[in-house]
Amino acid sequence: MVEYQVRELSEDYPEISASAELNHGGTSYYTLLSSGNVFLTANAVEHPNMTVRKAMYCETYARASQPNLFGEPPEEGTILYGILLHGPDELNKTRPGFAHIAFPNKGCSGYVGRVNLFARFPGLVGELWSIEVEEIPDELDMGIRPESERRKDDEEGAEDHTG
Amino acid sequence: MKRGTPGFVGARLREAREARGLSVTALAEILEVSRQSVSQYENEQQSPRSEVMVKIEQVLNLPPAFFSRPVLKRPEARRIFYRSMKSATKLARVRVERRYEWLTEIANYLQEYVSFPPVRFPRFDVPRDARELSWEDVEDFAVRTREFWGLGEGPISNVVWLFENKGAIVTRGIVEADELDAFSEWHGWQANSSTPYVFLGADKESAPRSRYDAAHELGHLVMHRNIDPKHIENQTTFKIIENQAHRFAGAFLLPTLAFSNDFSVANLDAFRALKPKWKVSVAMMVYRSQDLDLVGKEQVRRLWINRTRRGWRLKEPLDDHLPIERPRMLQRAFSMLVDERIQSRDEIRTALPYSAGDIAELAGLPQNFLDEEPAPISLKAYTKKRSGSTRSTHYGTGEIVDFRAARDSKEG
C-alpha cells in the first residue's frame, strides 16, 4: 500500500522519479524514489529505531551515500541515501504509527541521522493520528464497611509483648 | 524486666528511635541516661522510670500509648525496593522503613471501617532471578501493564491517582537521603492478598521527578515481585534490578511509538517543549531517546554537556510549574470516618498511637485534621449512594476550607 502510494508520487511531483527496481537476487521489486542525487527507498519496520532487513541494494546505496550529513558539502557524484521507515500504529493497525526518513551508516547496520516526518509536519499528523492524554479519573472505589464486615485486622499477626 | 513503666514495650522504643533517625547514643544523651540504659529499655531488661518515660515521649514526640502497643511481626525476608542500598543511606532506610510500618498500621486501621479499592495490578509470570529478564521483556512488561489498565499510548495525566484507583496505597514523605527518592513493597502475609505500597520521597518538590519515581516503583512491583530477596542485598543483582526499573519507567511513561513520533531532533529545547505534554524531565527524555536509538552516543554526550552548562542538573525548567501529584486515598478514608460519624477524632487519636503530625504526614492530611477543634473539611463533588446495608461513598476532589482562618481574617 505504502509502496504503491510512493510510486504514485511522481505523478504529482514530476521532479521526483519513482521506479520499481529488481533486487540483486532477482526475487522481488523495491521502489526507488530519486530526485537529483537524493535516493529514497521505503521499508516497513516494527519500530522507528529498528534497522531494516538486510538487503544488498540498501548496502549498495548506503556505501555510495555521503557519510557526513552535517559536514562539508558532498562531492559531485555522491548521493544522499535515506530510508522511509514506516509502520502501523500498534493499537490501531489501520492508521500509520510513524514515518521517519532515516539515513543509514555505510553498512546499513544503524542510522546516522533521521527526520521524523510526523514531527516535521504536525498538522498532517493531527489528521492521521492524535496522541490523546490518558485521563485518569478521580474515582476511588471506596465505601464504609457495614458493621457486620468490620474486623480487627489480625492478618499482620500482632505480637503481644505486654505479657 | 525490672518494673518502671508497666506495660512498656521495648521494641516500640527502638522503633520510635529509629523512626526519628537517632542512634542509641544520641537518644541516651538527650535523655541524660547511659547508653546501656537505653539498650536495656529496648531489650526489655528494664523499663524506664516514670520521669524518664515522660522525657522519652517528649523527645520522640509520641503519646504514652505508643510505648505499650504490641509490635507487628515483620516478615523475615522482605522485598522492599530501595533506590540505594549503600551503607550511607542505611540510617535513612531504617528511618523511613519504620515510618512506612506506621503507615501500614494506619492503613490497617482505616480498612477496618473503610473498604479500599480492590487491588488490580497485573500479575505477570515473572522470574525469581532478574538476570533472566531481557530489555525486550522489560519493554514488554511496560506495554502490557498499560494494556492491562486499558491505557493507550498517550501521556498519563496522573500516575498517583492511577495507582490509587488500582488499589495501591501511596504516600509522600520526607526521606532525608538524596539517593533514596522512593521505595515500594508488596505488603501482606499472603501473596494473593497483598497490597502494593509506594512511598514517594517529598524532598525534591518536582512533579516530573515524582512521576518518574512512581513509575520506577511500579516497575519493581510488576517485574520483581518474585525476586529472591537476597538479590536485593547483592550489589551486582541490585544494580540489574534497578536498571530494569529505570527502563520500565521510561517505557511506561514514554511508550515507544508515541514518544518516537513526538521526537524531532536531539536538542534540549525540543525536549523542553515536550515536557508539559509528557510531564517527565528532559533528562528522562534523553535517556529514553537513547534506549530507543533515536539519538547516537555522540549526540547524547553533547546533550548531557549542554544540560550541565544550562544548570539543568540541579533544576530543570518547568519543574516548579507542573503540579505535584498527591495521593488522596488515605485522606478520603479519614474524611469518610469523620464525616459519616463512624469514628470521632478522639477515637482516631486513641486508636492510632502516633503524633498528629506523623499521621497527617503519612496520610496526607491537613496538619490540623486531628486537632481538638479541627477546621471543618468540605468535600466538593460529594455524592453518596446506599444499597442494602453497604454504604458506598464516592468522593470527588476535596478542598480544604479553613473556616477558622477565614473567620479570624474577617474579625481581624
Side-chain angles (χ1 to χ4, degrees):
Chain A
M1 179 72 175
V2 171
E3 295 262 323
Y4 172 76
Q5 288 180 333
V6 165
R7 281 176 212 168
E8 280 198 325
L9 272 176
S10 58
E11 290 178 15
D12 294 333
Y13 303 95
E15 66 275 21
I16 297 175
S17 75
S19 57
E21 304 281 331
L22 196 60
N23 69 1
H24 282 72
T27 51
S28 63
Y29 286 92
Y30 62 92
T31 301
L32 176 69
L33 279 182
S34 60
S35 179
N37 58 352
V38 178
F39 284 61
L40 197 72
T41 57
N43 274 82
V45 286
E46 278 182 43
H47 302 297
N49 50 315
M50 275 180 71
T51 50
V52 297
R53 206 176 46 202
K54 204 167 173 56
M56 190 68 83
Y57 71 81
C58 174
E59 289 177 27
T60 306
Y61 292 131
R63 259 198 307 274
S65 187
Q66 174 68 26
N68 186 355
L69 292 171
F70 309 103
E72 297 296 309
E75 287 174 24
E76 213 165 302
T78 57
I79 63 164
L80 177 59
Y81 173 56
I83 305 172
L84 171 63
L85 301 172
H86 61 88
D89 173 20
E90 217 170 49
L91 299 177
N92 182 350
K93 306 283 185 197
T94 62
R95 62 187 184 188
F98 58 89
H100 288 205
I101 293 180
F103 300 95
N105 59 21
K106 292 282 184 193
C108 245
S109 58
Y111 304 109
V112 294
R114 66 174 64 230
V115 177
N116 178 347
L117 297 177
F118 282 12
R120 181 67 66 87
F121 305 105
L124 178 67
V125 179
E127 291 172 25
L128 295 169
W129 180 37
S130 60
I131 300 171
E132 287 172 16
V133 173
E134 304 298 330
E135 285 296 344
I136 307 300
D138 186 8
E139 285 174 2
L140 285 169
D141 184 8
M142 298 169 73
I144 296 290
R145 288 185 194 278
E147 275 191 46
S148 57
E149 273 183 25
R150 289 179 201 165
R151 52 173 172 67
K152 287 284 176 194
D153 254 320
D154 56 358
E155 62 181 11
E156 296 294 340
E159 190 178 308
D160 192 353
H161 277 240
T162 55
Chain B
M1 179 165 66
K2 287 182 193 169
R3 284 287 168 196
T5 303
F8 177 78
V9 178
R12 282 290 188 182
L13 174 61
R14 179 180 295 118
E15 182 182 310
R17 174 178 61 73
E18 290 176 344
R20 300 300 184 217
L22 294 171
S23 65
V24 172
T25 309
L27 180 60
E29 278 175 18
I30 298 169
L31 296 176
E32 295 174 317
V33 298
S34 68
R35 192 182 180 283
Q36 288 75 14
S37 294
V38 172
S39 293
Q40 285 172 348
Y41 301 153
E42 291 187 353
N43 296 323
E44 297 189 3
Q45 289 161 325
Q46 65 166 303
S47 70
R49 297 185 312 273
S50 58
E51 63 272 24
V52 176
M53 195 64 232
V54 169
K55 243 180 170 177
I56 288 173
E57 289 157 15
Q58 286 171 348
V59 167
L60 298 175
N61 187 24
L62 286 160
F66 176 87
F67 297 95
S68 57
R69 243 326 236 237
V71 290
L72 299 180
K73 267 186 193 167
R74 294 182 189 124
E76 281 174 19
R78 302 177 78 167
R79 290 187 195 90
I80 299 185
F81 297 103
Y82 290 109
R83 198 66 57 81
S84 164
M85 296 298 278
K86 287 181 188 165
S87 55
T89 63
K90 193 178 175 195
L91 250 184
R93 267 185 280 137
V94 172
R95 196 187 80 85
V96 291
E97 192 168 319
R98 297 297 161 260
R99 295 181 62 73
Y100 160 61
E101 285 162 358
W102 294 357
L103 172 72
T104 63
E105 287 191 64
I106 291 169
N108 281 345
Y109 162 75
L110 289 169
Q111 285 183 90
E112 191 187 329
Y113 303 100
V114 178
S115 62
F116 282 8
V119 175
R120 293 194 187 97
F121 269 56
R123 285 169 185 269
F124 301 128
D125 185 17
V126 286
R128 275 178 66 78
D129 189 339
R131 287 170 293 192
E132 290 173 26
L133 294 177
S134 64
W135 289 133
E136 287 74 26
D137 292 331
V138 173
E139 292 273 339
D140 189 49
F141 282 132
V143 170
R144 286 164 63 196
T145 301
R146 274 196 175 235
E147 284 172 359
F148 183 85
W149 284 335
L151 299 170
E153 287 222 323
I156 296 169
S157 67
N158 193 317
V159 177
V160 169
W161 283 11
L162 171 66
F163 287 8
E164 288 190 323
N165 286 358
K166 303 302 176 190
I169 293 175
V170 186
T171 190
R172 281 174 59 80
I174 302 295
V175 293
E176 286 180 2
D178 269 356
E179 293 176 73
L180 271 189
D181 295 323
F183 64 94
S184 59
E185 183 191 37
W186 280 99
H187 181 83
W189 291 84
Q190 289 161 329
N192 58 358
S193 64
S194 53
T195 303
Y197 275 75
V198 179
F199 194 115
L200 299 173
D203 308 55
K204 298 163 188 152
E205 282 279 303
S206 153
R209 180 72 193 220
S210 194
R211 280 167 64 85
Y212 168 77
D213 288 340
H216 178 104
E217 297 311 316
L218 176 65
H220 286 313
L221 293 167
V222 167
M223 296 186 296
H224 301 139
R225 63 181 302 161
N226 293 341
I227 288 293
D228 184 341
K230 278 183 274 181
H231 287 187
I232 301 172
E233 305 287 337
N234 176 292
Q235 208 179 337
T236 310
T237 44
F238 172 76
K239 202 171 175 188
I240 292 169
I241 289 169
E242 276 300 287
N243 285 338
Q244 288 174 351
H246 287 317
R247 181 73 179 247
F248 179 98
F252 183 75
L253 292 176
L254 300 169
T256 304
L257 281 181
F259 179 63
S260 299
N261 277 325
D262 267 0
F263 173 87
S264 52
V265 287
N267 165 321
L268 290 182
D269 292 318
F271 287 131
R272 183 186 187 278
L274 292 176
K275 191 167 174 174
K277 176 180 177 180
W278 289 98
K279 295 199 266 186
V280 300
S281 67
V282 167
M284 187 176 183
M285 286 187 263
V286 173
Y287 279 123
R288 187 65 180 150
S289 306
Q290 191 178 12
D291 285 346
L292 296 175
D293 287 335
L294 297 172
V295 290
K297 273 184 187 167
E298 180 54 28
Q299 287 171 308
V300 170
R301 196 181 68 81
R302 280 202 300 260
L303 285 167
W304 290 132
I305 292 171
N306 284 337
R307 183 168 172 269
T308 304
R309 270 192 201 139
R310 292 189 186 191
W312 290 8
R313 277 184 70 177
L314 296 175
K315 193 164 206 169
E316 284 189 5
L318 305 175
D319 277 354
D320 292 334
H321 293 84
L322 298 168
I324 303 272
E325 294 169 10
R326 299 186 191 280
R328 80 294 199 212
M329 190 165 85
L330 298 179
Q331 181 187 347
R332 298 256 170 100
F334 272 110
S335 297
M336 286 166 84
L337 282 192
V338 173
D339 291 357
E340 303 268 339
R341 299 180 190 281
I342 306 296
Q343 291 273 280
S344 68
R345 287 178 168 82
D346 268 346
E347 286 169 321
I348 293 172
R349 278 196 301 268
T350 305
L352 294 173
Y354 310 107
S355 77
D358 287 320
I359 298 171
E361 187 194 320
L362 290 166
L365 296 168
Q367 279 296 321
N368 60 356
F369 183 83
L370 291 174
D371 284 358
E372 300 280 341
E373 292 172 36
I377 284 189
S378 150
L379 288 165
K380 283 188 175 173
Y382 170 95
T383 55
K384 268 193 297 186
K385 64 177 180 187
R386 288 167 193 261
S387 65
S389 61
T390 306
R391 281 182 288 173
S392 176
T393 310
H394 297 273
Y395 288 82
T397 305
E399 184 184 333
I400 313 300
V401 181
D402 188 338
F403 285 104
R404 281 186 306 180
R407 188 193 60 202
D408 292 345
S409 69
K410 270 186 186 171
E411 286 172 356

